[in-house]
């Protein structure tokens, strides 16, 4: 099985919680968004309960991914399989002012 390099970009609260703007993941070619969430929840446990559900596999509904700034994945699209070079932007729908 080959590996894909996927860049996860953190914005808003996820950037504050991780202390990072981005993180490069190496995933298998059959990995889906749920696998990506699982990997970032293990790497950045501060996201769990704030951005990621306590199951460590699902985004809290006010958070979602944008794929390459062109497509928004809703919570029903966790089976989307990122391809090599994809940029997954983690967005929060809640913002303070």
């Amino acid at each position: 099985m080959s590996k894909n390099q996927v860049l996860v970009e953190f914005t808003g609260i996820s950037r504050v919680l991780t202390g990072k703007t981005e993180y490069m993941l190496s995933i298998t070619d059959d990995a889906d968004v749920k696998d990506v969430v699982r990997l970032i929840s293990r790497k950045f446990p501060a996201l769990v309960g704030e951005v990621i559900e306590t199951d460590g596999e699902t985004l809290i509904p006010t958070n979602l991914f944008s794929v390459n700034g062109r497509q928004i994945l809703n919570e029903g699209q966790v089976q989307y399989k990122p391809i090599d070079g994809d940029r997954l932007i983690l967005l929060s729908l809640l913002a303070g002012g």
Side-chain angles (χ1 to χ4, degrees):
M1 207 169 278
S2 64
K3 293 279 188 175
N4 292 328
Q5 297 296 312
V6 175
L7 182 69
V8 177
E9 184 177 323
F10 299 110
T11 66
I13 187 69
S14 64
R15 183 175 290 180
V16 171
L17 292 170
T18 63
K20 299 204 174 281
T21 57
E22 59 188 31
Y23 180 71
M24 184 65 74
L25 281 176
S26 182
I27 59 173
T28 59
D29 57 1
D30 66 339
D32 59 21
V33 169
K34 196 172 197 174
D35 295 313
V36 169
V37 173
R38 188 178 302 117
L39 289 168
I40 63 172
S41 72
R42 288 182 189 149
K43 177 68 180 173
F44 303 103
L47 294 174
V48 178
E50 298 291 332
V51 175
I52 299 171
E53 296 283 5
T54 55
D55 65 5
E57 299 182 345
T58 313
L59 292 177
I60 291 173
T62 55
N63 300 279
L64 47 80
F65 282 114
S66 168
V67 180
N68 302 317
R70 294 189 198 127
Q71 174 186 1
I72 299 291
L73 299 179
N74 64 45
E75 59 187 282
Q77 294 175 296
V78 292
Q79 63 281 103
Y80 174 82
K81 295 183 186 315
I83 60 172
D84 191 49
D86 267 354
R87 182 172 58 116
L88 299 176
I89 306 164
L90 183 52
L91 303 169
S92 176
L93 299 177
L94 297 178

